[in-house]
Amino acid sequence: QVQLVESGGGLVQAGGSLRLSCAASGSIFSIYRMSWYRQAPGKQRELVASITSGGTSNYSNSVKGRFTISRDKNTVNLQMNSLKPEDTAVYYCKALIKVTDWSRPDDYWGQGTQVTASS
């Protein structure tokens, strides 16, 4: 059984900063890509940033230069600076995980954490 638990969301004024963390635990053989997604009310879930097991990261154009993704073993973080009202959304962590050496990797999701940037 695999669990992804997010923390760090909250309410901040526009221009402020927040740091999200997501810790993976349970029966884990290896973790490949870890990602952050977000979903605003009435909109589709979108990719914000991702990072491979080797440390290669990529970002959506809307957050490039403001957000930084980092990873430490089974934890992925998202440092969010210069937050804008349009960053308001529920943020979800996703990880591509193998639970055994012989199993295929599967995507696992966290429960989501609310981020609100007020104007």
Side-chain angles (χ1 to χ4, degrees), residues 42-93:
K43 294 190 176 182
Q44 286 191 330
R45 192 172 295 190
E46 62 173 356
L47 176 66
V48 175
S50 67
I51 187 166
T52 67
S53 55
T56 300
S57 59
N58 66 76
Y59 300 89
S60 69
N61 288 334
S62 61
V63 307
K64 204 172 290 185
R66 299 187 298 121
F67 291 10
T68 303
I69 191 169
S70 62
R71 180 170 171 175
D72 181 17
K73 294 181 182 178
N74 291 358
T75 298
V76 63
N77 305 300
L78 187 68
Q79 178 66 42
M80 304 184 294
N81 298 330
S82 302
L83 281 160
K84 304 176 181 180
E86 51 264 43
D87 294 318
T88 295
V90 178
Y91 283 69
Y92 296 90
C93 169

